[in-house]
Amino acid sequence: MIAALAVPSSASQQITINSTYSPPYTTPNRDGYFDLLLIEAFGRLGYQVHVNMLPAQRALADAASGRADGDIGRIAGLEKSYPSLVRVPEPALDSREFVGFSRHVDIATTSWETLAPYHLAYVEGWQIFRDNVPKQAIVTALHSTDALFRFLDKDRCDIALTARFDGLAMLKALHIEDVHILEPPLASLKMYLYLNRNRIDLVEPLAEIFREMKADGSIDSIRTQVFGRYARR
């Protein structure tokens, strides 16, 4: 199990990183994947980190303005739109898989076009789905992952689209059964930590720490500890 390292407590050694993620990535108990990753990584550099859970646009705005030191769980290229943010080049998460969940549909999702005949649902604002679902599909956008899976559970859509572990965590939280994941994943993306330019001195040290954590097994331990809670049996 990954534990927080002892770190200096002075205000100058504190870091605030925003996250828009719900469990299993960020949790109120600070035992999600990104929580434990950041505690360990910043701890190795002698910093105490606070992970702040915020809505997506506010999280980004606060990081870009410097009200927060950074934002985690973003795709590459964000710096083109937000030049005050610098990407830590080593991914914080090497693969976030985007999949379909269904109770009644059982197809191989070998392309986005395989979704065309179905009523699809996803959380509004998820650009990967907005940009890729077939135009001829019936689509409903919901306001939260909770609402998405309640919608699916009532058989109001054929397929709910989300990220793999986001969906597994919500199925467990809502005690929903008889829902399976459609394979293979429709897409898989690397997720990065971005820092405000006033913390640019930490970009390369953190990249090196992430590499070290992958090499020494720390990342695998965090993944097992967190994602193992949602393993399908």
Side-chain angles (χ1 to χ4, degrees):
M1 178 176 290
I2 301 297
L5 302 181
V7 296
S9 59
S10 67
S12 63
Q13 296 297 308
Q14 294 180 359
I15 293 285
T16 297
I17 302 297
N18 290 342
S19 171
T20 69
Y21 288 78
S22 56
Y25 298 98
T26 312
T27 76
N29 294 329
R30 300 300 181 252
D31 60 357
Y33 175 84
F34 286 142
D35 299 313
L36 296 177
L37 172 75
L38 293 171
I39 289 170
E40 180 78 5
F42 278 104
R44 293 188 186 192
L45 294 175
Y47 288 84
Q48 186 177 45
V49 64
H50 172 69
V51 183
N52 198 21
M53 299 172 70
L54 290 173
Q57 286 305 118
R58 182 181 167 192
L60 195 55
D62 281 5
S65 69
R67 286 190 294 271
D69 297 297
D71 192 1
I72 194 165
R74 302 287 184 168
I75 63 173
L78 189 68
E79 59 271 40
K80 296 175 183 177
S81 300
Y82 294 87
S84 62
L85 295 177
V86 181
R87 179 166 54 95
V88 175
E90 186 67 21
L93 180 65
D94 284 326
S95 176
R96 190 180 189 214
E97 295 180 341
F98 299 89
V99 298
F101 286 79
S102 185
R103 176 171 284 135
H104 303 297
V105 176
D106 190 9
I107 59 170
T109 45
T110 52
S111 73
W112 292 99
E113 290 305 313
T114 60
L115 303 176
Y118 302 103
H119 182 172
L120 312 175
Y122 58 84
V123 177
E124 60 186 355
W126 283 48
Q127 186 172 344
I128 188 168
F129 297 131
R130 185 186 65 199
D131 291 349
N132 288 286
V133 296
K135 302 300 182 186
Q136 61 268 44
I138 300 170
V139 176
T140 300
L142 286 306
H143 68 273
S144 69
T145 306
D146 180 293
L148 174 68
F149 278 88
R150 292 183 189 276
F151 196 73
L152 177 67
D153 192 39
K154 293 176 182 176
D155 291 331
R156 296 183 65 186
C157 68
D158 299 313
I159 300 172
L161 300 172
T162 187
R164 182 183 298 272
F165 286 104
D166 303 55
L168 289 173
M170 190 55 63
L171 288 176
K172 184 175 182 178
L174 297 177
H175 307 288
I176 295 174
E177 299 180 351
D178 301 323
V179 168
H180 57 272
I181 298 174
L182 302 179
E183 303 283 4
L186 291 156
S188 179
L189 296 176
K190 298 179 187 296
M191 296 290 157
Y192 294 88
L193 169 64
Y194 282 81
L195 296 180
N196 187 277
R197 284 196 174 275
N198 60 20
R199 294 292 187 174
I200 197 170
D201 57 311
L202 295 177
V203 168
E204 287 304 324
L206 279 169
E208 183 58 31
I209 291 293
F210 286 167
R211 294 184 197 105
E212 289 177 3
M213 291 177 67
K214 291 173 184 179
D216 67 21
S218 297
I219 294 288
D220 286 341
S221 294
I222 293 173
R223 289 183 59 87
T224 299
Q225 179 180 338
V226 175
F227 298 138
R229 304 170 195 158
Y230 308 101
R232 305 301 295 266
R233 293 177 174 83

